[in-house]
């Protein structure tokens, strides 16, 4: 979904922060506290849920967004082993399992957050520190980033539903026209029935033309090139038309 550049940027940011922490080891207590506060500020400023783990899988940091999604409190999880916390948290258990045993499943996770179902794409970012220039980097932990893709997922679902509905609406008049054509082809249509079946073909053709026109209008609405026109509708007549169309389709 086009998130790779963003993931790479965040991975670079966290690697730089890890190197900064390594430098603080030889600094004064005041410098260390300032560095800690600086990093916490950056983490909490990120709008997406983020969880930081040490290489031993202890929870080092977690931002407010992640706490909301996980339904946990910072005081109860910081410094604790993630697998231990995950015993009573289904979402964290899924995230840790995927980290330890990655698979090829790239489907978004469906999570109940903010009083609604949301979808998140998960990215695992290994954190490495270069202690000295020119030396091989050292793995120190992982960052779990959850990218909220609910808007994209909802659009995808809407598109699938739309295609399914349109396919059904197109199939109904085409089936009717095809059935009449077969009767005519087999020569079993009575002369007296010709006007009726001709009218039927005309009506179904008009429905197809109207439907295709509506599809074109919808595509133009996506481009915001067609203004809305508000009209009064007689609900009783509309209901009658729907019932008539349904009975004809059957």
């Amino acid at each position: 979904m086009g998130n790779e550049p963003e993931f790479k940027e965040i991975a670079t940011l966290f690697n730089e922060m890890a190197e900064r922490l390594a430098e603080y080891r030889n600094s004064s207590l005041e410098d260390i506290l300032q560095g800690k506060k600086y990093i916490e500020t950056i983490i909490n400023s990120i709008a997406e849920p983020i969880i930081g783990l040490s290489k031993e899988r202890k929870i080092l940091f977690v931002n407010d967004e992640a706490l909301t999604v996980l339904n946990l409190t910072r005081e109860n999880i910081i410094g604790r082993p993630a697998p231990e916390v995950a015993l009573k948290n289904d979402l964290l258990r899924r995230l840790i399992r995927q980290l330890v045993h990655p698979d090829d499943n790239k489907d978004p996770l469906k999570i109940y957050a903010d009083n609604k179902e949301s979808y998140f794409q998960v990215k695992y970012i290994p954190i490495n520190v270069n202690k000295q220039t020119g030396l091989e980097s050292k793995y120190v932990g992982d960052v779990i980033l959850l990218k909220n893709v609910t808007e994209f997922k909802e659009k995808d679902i809407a598109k699938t539903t739309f295609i399914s509905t349109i396919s059904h609406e197109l199939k109904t008049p085409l089936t009717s026209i095809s059935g009449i054509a077969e009767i005519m082809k087999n020569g079993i249509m009575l002369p007296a029935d010709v006007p009726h079946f001709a009218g039927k073909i005309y009506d179904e053709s008009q429905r197809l033309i109207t439907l295709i026109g509506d599809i074109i209008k919808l595509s133009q609405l996506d481009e915001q090139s067609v203004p809305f026109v508000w009209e009064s509708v007689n609900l009783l007549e509309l209901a009658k038309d729907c019932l008539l169309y349904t009975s004809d389709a059957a």
Side-chain angles (χ1 to χ4, degrees):
M1 296 183 182
N3 298 320
E4 287 303 321
E6 181 178 348
F7 285 142
K8 290 180 180 178
E9 183 179 345
I10 292 177
T12 301
L13 173 64
F14 276 104
N15 279 314
E16 290 176 355
M17 288 196 304
E19 292 179 10
R20 181 76 63 86
L21 281 175
E23 293 174 1
Y24 281 135
R25 290 176 182 173
N26 298 322
S27 304
S28 65
L29 178 60
E30 182 179 354
D31 290 336
I32 293 174
L33 292 176
Q34 286 181 350
K36 183 174 181 292
K37 185 176 181 180
Y38 167 75
I39 292 173
E40 288 176 347
T41 301
I42 292 177
I43 293 169
N44 278 313
S45 69
I46 298 174
E48 306 293 352
I50 288 181
I51 306 166
L53 306 176
S54 70
K55 64 180 180 180
E56 294 83 16
R57 304 282 188 262
K58 285 187 177 181
I59 301 175
L60 299 178
F61 58 81
V62 57
N63 67 351
D64 294 335
E65 291 293 329
L67 291 172
T68 299
V69 171
L70 291 168
N71 195 26
L72 293 170
T73 60
R74 184 175 282 102
E75 295 76 15
N76 291 334
I77 64 173
I78 294 297
R80 292 180 59 190
E84 178 183 308
V85 178
L87 290 175
K88 296 182 179 180
N89 190 284
D90 292 338
L91 175 56
L92 185 58
R93 184 160 60 249
R94 291 164 66 187
L95 295 173
I96 298 302
R97 182 172 62 244
Q98 178 66 22
L99 173 63
V100 178
H101 303 291
D103 55 40
D104 295 329
N105 185 12
K106 302 300 181 183
D107 293 337
L109 286 177
K110 184 166 71 173
I111 300 171
Y112 190 80
D114 296 329
N115 296 319
K116 69 171 187 177
E117 285 187 347
S118 300
Y119 293 86
F120 291 85
Q121 196 74 48
V122 184
K123 185 70 174 181
Y124 298 93
I125 305 169
I127 303 302
N128 301 286
V129 173
N130 293 314
K131 289 188 174 182
Q132 296 181 20
T133 304
L135 295 181
E136 185 178 353
S137 60
K138 180 181 179 182
Y139 166 75
V140 296
D142 296 275
V143 168
I144 303 175
L145 172 65
L146 286 79
K147 176 69 177 177
N148 194 328
V149 294
T150 304
E151 180 182 356
F152 302 102
K153 185 66 177 179
E154 288 176 345
K155 287 182 178 179
D156 189 54
I157 293 173
K159 181 185 71 174
T160 301
T161 303
F162 174 76
I163 292 174
S164 176
T165 302
I166 290 298
S167 299
H168 174 74
E169 294 297 324
L170 286 171
K171 184 178 179 180
T172 300
L174 285 173
T175 300
S176 180
I177 293 172
S178 177
I180 295 172
E182 186 175 358
I183 292 174
M184 296 175 65
K185 179 182 177 182
N186 293 332
I188 57 176
M189 181 182 294
L190 298 175
D193 293 330
V194 172
H196 169 72
F197 283 114
K200 187 76 172 176
I201 291 174
Y202 177 81
D203 290 341
E204 298 297 350
S205 298
Q206 289 303 306
R207 284 175 181 168
L208 284 173
I209 292 171
T210 301
L211 182 59
I212 293 171
D214 290 342
I215 295 173
I216 293 173
K217 288 178 182 178
L218 282 174
S219 66
Q220 292 173 336
L221 283 176
D222 287 340
E223 301 169 0
Q224 298 181 345
S225 60
V226 177
F228 284 101
V229 178
W230 300 96
E231 296 181 357
S232 299
V233 177
N234 187 317
L235 292 180
L236 179 59
E237 292 300 322
L238 180 61
K240 287 181 179 178
D241 288 342
C242 291
L243 289 173
L244 177 63
Y245 178 66
T246 303
S247 61
D248 287 346

